Amino acid sequence: MNKLDSRTVIVSAADSGYFPMLLNLLTSIECSPDLADAVVAVFDLGLSERDRAFLVGRSVRLLQPRGHFGLDIEGEKPVVPALLVRPFLEDYLPDFDCFIWIDADAWVQDADTVRALEAGARRSGLSLVHEREPTYGWTLELRGWVTKHCLQGYGLVDGMRMLSRPMLNAGVYAVRRGAPHVELWREQFRRVIERTGRVVPHDQFSLNAVVWLDRPETDILEPKHNWICNRSLPCWDPHRRLFCTASKPHRPLGIVHLAGHLKTGVVEVKTVDGRRRNLRLHVDPLGAAVE
């Protein structure tokens, strides 16, 4: 088995509304022989006492988010502290030197992706996944949203430079303690908050600015490592019982990310043999989809 280094920690965040999805993520980690012993930490964005007791019973470390960049998070929606803490993980977890962030609405199907994230972060400082996938849908509304935030946040010249490169998803990434990306991210995030007055969604755009404008060495993985399901539904392989890329050769996904409206419920997905099945895009205790 290729387990994570003992000084690597998997980090997520949730409130009580996201708690069922967080449990799905934790189950996927615990069901993987290579990840079962991994240390997991969760930012408490408004969990219930019952939620907290359950997580503590599963040896999950609970973290309390703080305001950063001089911002007061009291009374803010949970998404604000969830995004603000991302460049500061090493401050919250001093016993670790590599931090793998996985959004609570994502889950691990293949531990190789988590190991690839860890290896990339240890090698270059930051490892994350790009979104330039041929089957991903880019609506006019989404294109306009991305364009607006790039131009408002970074100006015409730098905004156009960012728009010319693949979007990098901040919902799954790994970063090494002391990596140059950390200070660069904090500075880019601070500047864009001051310029726009907004935190959301500039955790991701500021991280893209670090990679594409500041240009430190970075490991960038292909979309199968963090598959954004509301952009393209995955395919189901009934023989291997795995979710796969939407197009041939239907490679198994590493992390299944239930972004947008696909967090719960049943959806109709194509199978690799040309049929259709109604499935939840979740993991069951055996690591297979729940039909």
Side-chain angles (χ1 to χ4, degrees), residues 166-211:
M167 177 62 70
L168 306 172
N169 189 270
V172 173
Y173 68 89
V175 65
R176 187 189 70 230
R177 177 179 295 279
H181 310 73
V182 174
E183 285 302 324
L184 291 170
W185 192 5
R186 294 179 185 184
E187 182 59 19
Q188 287 282 9
F189 206 172
R190 180 189 64 78
R191 289 206 302 256
V192 77
I193 291 172
E194 291 175 354
R195 181 169 185 168
T196 67
R198 295 175 58 93
V199 172
V200 184
H202 286 294
D203 67 306
Q204 180 159 297
F205 285 94
S206 59
L207 187 55
N208 275 261
V210 169
V211 176

Side-chain angles (χ1 to χ4, degrees), residues 132-136 222-224 227 231-237 240 242-253 270-273:
R132 189 165 284 177
E133 158 57 42
T135 67
Y136 278 4
E222 60 183 313
K224 79 180 186 73
W227 191 265
R231 304 282 295 283
S232 177
L233 284 173
C235 232
W236 173 247
D237 187 329
R240 292 181 291 177
L242 294 171
F243 288 108
C244 303
T245 56
S247 58
K248 295 180 179 179
H250 299 305
R251 292 175 296 162
L253 304 182
K270 294 180 180 178
T271 66
V272 297
D273 54 8

Side-chain angles (χ1 to χ4, degrees), residues 7 15 22 26 28 34 65 85 118 121 146 151 163 166 202 260 268:
R7 289 180 60 80
D15 62 2
L22 176 66
L26 294 177
S28 73
D34 290 349
V85 299
E118 179 191 43
V146 171
L151 297 181
L163 286 168
H202 286 294
E268 184 181 77

Side-chain angles (χ1 to χ4, degrees), residues 34-112:
D34 290 349
L35 301 178
D37 296 330
V39 179
V40 178
V42 170
F43 282 95
D44 181 352
L45 306 178
L47 296 168
S48 69
E49 287 298 328
R50 182 178 180 181
D51 297 339
R52 295 187 193 101
F54 185 89
L55 293 175
V56 170
R58 291 173 84 153
S59 300
V60 173
R61 299 191 181 199
L62 292 179
L63 306 172
Q64 291 299 320
R66 304 187 293 270
H68 295 284
F69 308 116
L71 298 178
D72 183 1
I73 60 173
E74 185 69 28
E76 290 283 358
K77 293 181 179 179
V79 66
V80 172
L83 302 189
L84 285 174
V85 299
R86 297 188 188 204
F88 296 91
L89 300 184
E90 62 183 46
D91 295 350
Y92 288 91
L93 293 155
D95 297 336
F96 299 91
D97 59 19
C98 188
F99 311 88
I100 301 173
W101 179 280
I102 304 176
D103 277 356
D105 61 353
W107 58 273
V108 180
Q109 179 175 254
D110 187 348
D112 283 349

